[in-house]
Amino acid sequence: MRRGFFLLAGIAAAIAGSLIYLNNRDVMVMGGHHNQYTAEILVDHLSLSQVASVQWWLKNQNEIRLKYNIVSEEEGGPTLISIFAFGDDYKELGKEDRLCFDDMQPPKNCIDKKRLMAVYFTRDGITQFRFDYSTYQLTDDGRIIKVK
C-alpha cells in the first residue's frame, strides 16, 4: 500500500515537473514575414497555457517588431499578427495546405498552416489574442481577461 502511494506520488511529481517545464521553456522565433496588413511570426512552440503565450508576446513583441521591421498598428502597420508553428523547415508548396511567403524565392518558401495564436488590433484600440476556441483581451490597466 505504501509502495503504491509513493509510486503514484512520483508519477504525479514527474507529470507536474514536465508541465512546468513545457509551459516555461524559452520560445525560439524562427522567422518573420509581413506586409502592410498582416504579419506572420514563426516559432518553434508556444507555452501550453494560453495566458503564458499572451504574456510571452507582450514581453517580446518590441524585440520581434524591431528584428523583422514590423511597424506598429498605430503607425500604419499590420492589424493582424499570426504566430505559426515553424515545423522542420521551409517547404515547397506541394498539395498540402501551406502558407507561402512572397518575400522569399520559391520553391522552399512555405510552411504548414498551424496557427498557434493571433494578435488582433481592433479599430477601437483594443488588443485581442485569439486561439482556436478562446479569445483574450488586454485591458487598459494591463490585465489579460478572457472574452466570452
Side-chain angles (χ1 to χ4, degrees):
M1 183 76 162
R2 197 172 199 195
R3 185 179 219 171
F5 172 76
F6 286 118
L7 180 64
L8 285 176
I11 292 171
I15 291 171
S18 296
L19 289 174
I20 290 169
Y21 167 75
L22 290 173
N23 202 43
N24 293 309
R25 63 188 168 146
D26 289 337
V27 175
M28 185 175 238
V29 178
M30 310 300 285
H33 305 273
H34 67 90
N35 59 38
Q36 181 181 356
Y37 306 105
T38 65
E40 293 79 26
I41 306 300
L42 313 178
V43 299
D44 60 345
H45 69 277
L46 282 180
S47 298
L48 295 178
S49 158
Q50 293 175 344
V51 172
S53 296
V54 170
Q55 291 170 336
W56 168 81
W57 172 255
L58 294 173
K59 179 181 175 187
N60 294 285
Q61 68 175 323
N62 292 334
E63 181 182 331
I64 292 168
R65 287 177 183 272
L66 280 172
K67 183 174 181 177
Y68 296 105
N69 300 314
I70 302 171
V71 179
S72 72
E73 63 285 351
E74 291 98 6
E75 298 173 6
T79 56
L80 174 63
I81 299 175
S82 295
I83 314 295
F84 283 94
F86 180 65
D88 301 331
D89 199 357
Y90 289 100
K91 300 171 176 34
E92 295 182 12
L93 179 58
K95 294 181 180 179
E96 294 84 1
D97 187 20
R98 292 192 169 145
L99 174 65
C100 299
F101 304 107
D102 295 334
D103 61 343
M104 292 180 68
Q105 291 295 320
K108 291 192 174 190
N109 65 329
C110 306
I111 61 167
D112 292 325
K113 286 185 184 177
K114 185 177 178 190
R115 187 167 72 177
L116 304 173
M117 177 174 74
V119 183
Y120 181 69
F121 306 98
T122 69
R123 292 181 186 177
D124 300 330
I126 296 170
T127 304
Q128 291 186 337
F129 303 91
R130 298 178 182 176
F131 297 88
D132 286 338
Y133 301 105
S134 56
T135 301
Y136 294 82
Q137 188 167 299
L138 186 64
T139 63
D140 291 336
D141 61 355
R143 291 182 301 122
I144 302 166
I145 58 170
K146 190 169 186 174
V147 178
K148 295 182 181 190

